């Protein structure tokens, strides 16, 4: 129903009641049609998520460089260069070790902390809140700062924090960052410390959703604490564990800020992971095409790992 003439002036024949009814009709139409409400979210996702993803994939098929204004399409040449780069498979092995041990450490420590805090809250034990704050502080600190903090703690001299305590206990000074194996262990330790807080948050939230009646029923049936954990807790928080695994795998695989400030990828390439290799290719070698190819390979690894997690944690439950 039109309330205005073709010249833009109000039609005097249309009453105020009819104009109000028309406005209510448009409001009802907005309520019943989801497109106007989801369009802003779709636009943001297309502009800031999908378009950059498509652009990175496109760049991976070019010889684009920060040192040249022009570029050309070279097919899969950048992927072949990445896969045949010196030390690539050594970096892949280091990345696999770094991600696997970090993710397992974060899940296990996060679950232990979450259960301890959950137990403390239920028993009204003092210190539960301060424990959560202390753990969360590691999560809010930027990765660059975490690397610097751990670098200061691991100074390879008797006055270094960790070496000071070791020497007080009668041990020798440990080469935390100059020995290849100890450097990788140091990077894994720092990253696990950093990511445990996120896992603790996720798993603690999952524990709050477990019906207490299940624990009571298990106790009546004579189930021990370990049996209740295995047959009640784990199945109930499995969806949360799945989401947690996916997210911390992505975060860990993409980690380079903490590593670059802690070891810089050294000694040699002992701690150089794929994310750091991509950074060096893009901002030291200025080879954007090759850096984009590495990013696409890492994306594929993340997608594969997500399907693996779904296979073992979600599909078998029929969720």
């Amino acid at each position: 129903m039109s309330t205005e003439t073709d010249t833009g002036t109000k039609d005097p024949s249309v009453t105020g009641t009819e104009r109000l009814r028309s406005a209510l009709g448009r409001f009802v139409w907005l309520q019943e049609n989801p497109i106007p409400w989801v369009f802003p979210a779709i636009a943001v996702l297309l502009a800031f998520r999908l378009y950059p993803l498509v652009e990175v994939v496109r760049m991976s098929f070019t010889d684009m460089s920060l040192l040249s204004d022009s570029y050309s399409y070279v097919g899969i040449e950048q992927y072949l260069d990445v896969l045949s780069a010196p030390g690539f498979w050594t970096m892949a092995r280091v990345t696999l070790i770094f991600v696997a041990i970090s993710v397992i450490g974060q899940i296990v420590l996060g679950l232990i902390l979450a259960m301890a805090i959950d137990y403390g809250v239920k028993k009204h034990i003092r210190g539960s809140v301060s424990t959560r704050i202390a753990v969360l502080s590691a999560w809010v600190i930027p990765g660059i700062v975490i690397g610097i903090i751990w670098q200061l703690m691991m100074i390879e001299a008797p006055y270094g924090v960790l070496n000071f305590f070791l020497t007080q206990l009668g041990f020798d000074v440990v080469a935390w960052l100059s020995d290849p194996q100890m450097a990788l262990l140091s990077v894994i330790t720092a990253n696990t410390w950093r990511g445990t807080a996120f896992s603790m948050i996720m798993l603690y939230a999952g524990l709050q959703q477990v019906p207490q009646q299940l624990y009571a029923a298990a106790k009546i049936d004579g189930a021990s604490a370990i049996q209740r954990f295995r047959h009640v807790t784990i199945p109930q928080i499995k969806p949360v564990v799945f989401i947690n695994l996916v997210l911390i795998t992505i975060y860990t695989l993409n980690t380079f800020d903490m590593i670059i400030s802690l070891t810089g990828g050294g000694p040699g390439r002992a701690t150089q992971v794929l994310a750091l290799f991509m950074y060096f290719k893009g901002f030291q070698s200025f080879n954007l095409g090759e850096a984009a190819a590495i990013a696409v390979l890492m994306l594929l690894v993340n997608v594969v790992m997500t399907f693996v997690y779904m296979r073992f944690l979600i599909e078998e439950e029929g969720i």
Side-chain angles (χ1 to χ4, degrees):
M1 179 181 295
S2 174
T3 59
E4 296 183 355
T5 65
D6 294 338
T7 58
T9 58
K10 292 184 178 179
D11 186 352
S13 63
V14 179
T15 65
T17 303
E18 290 173 331
R19 284 197 291 271
L20 177 60
R21 188 176 300 163
S22 176
L24 289 174
R26 288 195 292 271
F27 179 71
V28 171
W29 181 85
L30 283 174
Q31 283 189 315
E32 294 178 349
N33 290 275
I35 294 179
W37 304 102
V38 301
F39 178 76
I42 293 175
V44 170
L45 288 175
L46 291 176
F48 297 104
R49 296 293 182 183
L50 185 59
Y51 172 72
L53 175 62
V54 173
E55 186 67 7
V56 167
V57 174
R58 187 184 70 83
M59 287 170 57
S60 68
F61 293 105
T62 70
D63 59 355
M64 193 177 295
S65 171
L66 284 174
L67 303 177
S68 175
D69 294 334
S70 61
Y71 64 89
S72 59
Y73 288 91
V74 295
I76 62 172
E77 183 179 321
Q78 299 289 13
Y79 291 93
L80 296 177
D81 289 344
V82 168
L83 296 175
S84 60
F88 172 80
W89 294 106
T90 301
M91 281 183 290
R93 182 180 62 83
V94 170
T95 304
L96 177 63
I97 295 172
F98 172 71
V99 173
I101 299 179
S102 294
V103 168
I104 293 172
Q106 291 173 29
I107 282 285
V108 172
L109 294 176
L111 182 58
I112 292 173
L113 282 171
M115 294 184 68
I117 292 173
D118 182 60
Y119 179 82
V121 171
K122 289 176 180 175
K123 298 296 181 181
H124 304 289
I125 299 175
R126 291 185 179 181
S128 300
V129 175
S130 58
T131 302
R132 273 180 284 183
I133 294 174
V135 175
L136 285 175
S137 63
W139 188 44
V140 300
I141 299 175
I144 291 287
V145 177
I146 289 177
I148 295 173
I149 292 173
W150 279 87
Q151 190 181 51
L152 294 174
M153 292 176 62
M154 294 176 172
I155 292 176
E156 297 176 3
Y159 54 81
V161 176
L162 297 181
N163 278 326
F164 172 78
F165 289 107
L166 289 176
T167 54
Q168 294 300 310
L169 295 173
F171 295 98
D172 295 330
V173 172
V174 177
W176 297 105
L177 303 177
S178 60
D179 179 78
Q181 293 181 346
M182 290 304 301
L184 181 57
L185 178 62
S186 301
V187 169
I188 292 171
T189 303
N191 189 65
T192 302
W193 175 79
R194 175 194 189 187
T196 295
F198 180 78
S199 293
M200 184 271 289
I201 296 171
M202 296 285 292
L203 296 173
Y204 179 75
L207 290 174
Q208 305 311 302
Q209 304 302 318
V210 181
Q212 296 304 306
Q213 297 88 341
L214 295 180
Y215 290 117
K219 284 183 178 179
I220 293 173
D221 290 340
S224 64
I226 295 178
Q227 289 173 327
R228 293 197 297 273
F229 173 76
R230 179 181 176 186
H231 298 291
V232 177
T233 304
I234 292 298
Q236 289 296 314
I237 66 172
K238 193 175 284 187
V240 179
V241 173
F242 164 71
I243 297 172
N244 192 16
L245 275 174
V246 172
L247 292 178
I248 64 176
T249 300
I250 294 172
Y251 294 155
T252 304
L253 188 62
N254 294 338
T255 296
F256 79 96
D257 49 355
M258 184 268 296
I259 298 176
I260 200 171
S261 61
L262 180 57
T263 64
R269 289 180 174 174
T271 58
Q272 186 169 340
V273 295
L274 289 179
L276 192 59
F277 182 50
M278 177 184 64
Y279 174 82
F280 288 152
K281 282 294 180 183
F283 297 101
Q284 287 190 356
S285 302
F286 307 116
N287 191 337
L288 295 182
E290 203 164 332
I294 300 170
V296 173
L297 291 175
M298 293 173 59
L299 173 64
L300 294 177
V301 172
N302 279 317
V303 172
V304 170
M305 291 304 301
T306 301
F307 278 110
V308 171
Y309 293 149
M310 288 180 64
R311 172 66 181 83
F312 288 100
L313 294 176
I314 299 299
E315 288 186 355
E316 69 177 21
E317 293 295 317
I319 296 175

